[in-house]
Amino acid sequence: MKTNDVMLQTVTKVVTFIILMFAVHIFFAGHYTPGGGFVGGLLTASAIVLLMLAFGIQTVKKIVPVNYVVMTSVGLLLAIATAAASILFDVPFFTHAYDYFDLPLFGKTSLHSAMLFDAGVYLVVVGVTMTIIQTIGEDE
Amino acid sequence: MMMFYWISLAIISVAFAGLLVRLVKGPTVADRVVALDALGISLVSIVALLSLIIETEFFLEIILLLSILSFIGTAAFAKFIERGEIFDRDHNR
């Protein structure tokens, strides 16, 4: 039976981008305000899940050709490398450095090395969540 | 004005309790799904009223987050009730 889900697909085409933009916002807001890599990763994963709901799991595999297991390991490596880089500078493990820069278009911005660790957490969360959902969803 | 916020909070809490009863008792699955969606909406309004009462802006992102999660959950449940599966294997059947 051919089902008619025009409404779900039309809403998904708009809402997915809103969720992805919100995920980026909450990822970068995570240092001083609520948010961070974990919530950003969960939001990105839920955007991909919404795409899978509307368009089917094979279509999403074609348009997002990412191996999520590799993504998880890259994220773990990034997080561990950021934490271990403090050994090179003779400071305790997990010490984080920051400084203030004058970026164009943003003005005075404080850039932290903890954000790299957060990016690792983001990749791990997206990878693990999508691996679980794909494994469960594909099983007949 | 503060009195108004507290009264609204009390009313929404009563609605929350009623929805919890429907969530536990509900005779069919569809009743429970509707109760779960309405629970998400009343949770959003409770968070909004709380952030008005304690005058902070930090909860506003949580409102958007809860709405997104509630929407995806309801869409998944609706598809499950309608077709019996959440992710269909080949879409152009």
Side-chain angles (χ1 to χ4, degrees):
Chain A
M1 183 182 77
K2 182 116 175 126
T3 50
N4 181 12
D5 41 8
V6 176
M7 273 160 48
L8 180 61
Q9 290 185 354
T10 312
V11 168
T12 301
K13 280 173 197 164
V14 179
V15 168
T16 303
F17 290 105
I18 296 177
I19 298 177
L20 285 176
M21 289 305 289
F22 184 52
V24 171
H25 162 73
I26 219 167
F27 172 70
F28 282 112
H31 201 71
Y32 292 123
T33 52
F38 192 85
V39 191
L42 279 184
L43 270 174
T44 311
S46 59
I48 301 175
V49 166
L50 187 62
L51 273 181
M52 281 180 179
L53 272 180
F55 296 103
I57 216 164
Q58 297 299 333
T59 317
V60 177
K61 261 191 183 171
K62 204 179 290 174
I63 63 175
V64 192
V66 177
N67 189 352
Y68 292 107
V69 180
V70 175
M71 195 181 193
T72 308
S73 22
V74 168
L76 272 178
L77 204 66
L78 188 60
I80 291 178
T82 313
S86 52
I87 294 174
L88 297 179
F89 298 101
D90 203 15
V91 284
F93 198 58
F94 269 117
T95 306
H96 100 281
Y98 66 96
D99 204 353
Y100 294 94
F101 297 95
D102 276 324
L103 297 181
L105 205 69
F106 287 106
K108 190 181 177 191
T109 320
S110 64
L111 296 180
H112 296 247
S113 72
M115 205 218 82
L116 289 175
F117 181 77
D118 236 15
V121 173
Y122 177 90
L123 288 179
V124 170
V125 170
V126 174
V128 169
T129 315
M130 292 318 295
T131 308
I132 293 172
I133 288 174
Q134 275 191 348
T135 315
I136 294 174
E138 275 181 340
D139 209 353
E140 281 288 291
Chain B
M1 203 59 186
M2 209 49 131
M3 199 62 214
F4 180 70
Y5 295 151
W6 281 107
I7 292 172
S8 331
L9 201 57
I11 292 172
I12 292 174
S13 306
V14 171
F16 201 86
L19 287 169
L20 275 181
V21 170
R22 184 50 64 195
L23 186 66
V24 175
K25 240 175 74 177
T28 64
V29 183
D31 284 330
R32 291 197 171 98
V33 172
V34 172
L36 209 60
D37 192 30
L39 270 179
I41 292 172
S42 38
L43 206 60
V44 164
S45 32
I46 285 175
V47 173
L49 282 170
L50 264 183
S51 66
L52 274 175
I53 286 173
I54 62 178
E55 288 177 0
T56 176
E57 293 175 358
F58 285 119
F59 291 156
L60 296 185
E61 285 163 351
I62 301 173
I63 292 175
L64 193 48
L65 188 66
L66 276 177
S67 323
I68 288 170
L69 289 183
S70 169
F71 167 70
I72 292 175
T74 310
F77 267 124
K79 196 171 172 190
F80 180 71
I81 289 176
E82 190 190 348
R83 284 182 221 167
E85 60 178 3
I86 294 183
F87 303 127
D88 22 43
R89 281 195 67 77
D90 52 342
H91 194 258
N92 300 315
R93 204 165 14 178

